[in-house]
Amino acid sequence: MPADLYAALQTCFPDGGLPRWLAAAGARCGTGAAPIPVDGADRTGELADLVALALWELLQDPGDDPFTKLFTAACLRHLN
């Protein structure tokens, strides 16, 4: 999983809202961090569900925040 997608999920699911396997990747201090591997069909499906929920939340905020645009693009890229 690319760092910008991880950042989007961290933003939309703060305070322990991410599954343990994803939170275990630790904090990412920038969008240039190395990708996080996603192993197995169960985790891939869970990730797709989280990304879809994050995308929905991001689309509810039509402002011009550059991070919202970056995170929305990351979610769309993952789901396509």
Side-chain angles (χ1 to χ4, degrees):
M1 168 188 348
D4 57 351
L5 182 59
Y6 182 80
L9 294 176
Q10 282 288 338
T11 299
C12 292
F13 302 103
D15 302 322
L18 292 177
R20 193 173 312 155
W21 64 268
L22 189 52
R28 305 305 235 197
C29 61
T31 57
I36 299 168
V38 178
D39 301 325
D42 289 341
R43 288 184 177 176
T44 300
E46 186 176 17
L47 179 60
D49 290 344
L50 287 169
V51 172
L53 286 170
L55 177 60
W56 183 85
E57 286 204 24
L58 289 163
L59 292 175
Q60 303 310 305
D61 182 14
D64 60 353
D65 183 322
F67 286 105
T68 299
K69 291 178 182 179
L70 173 74
F71 296 158
T72 300
C75 289
L76 287 170
R77 193 170 50 251
H78 180 77
L79 292 173
N80 284 327

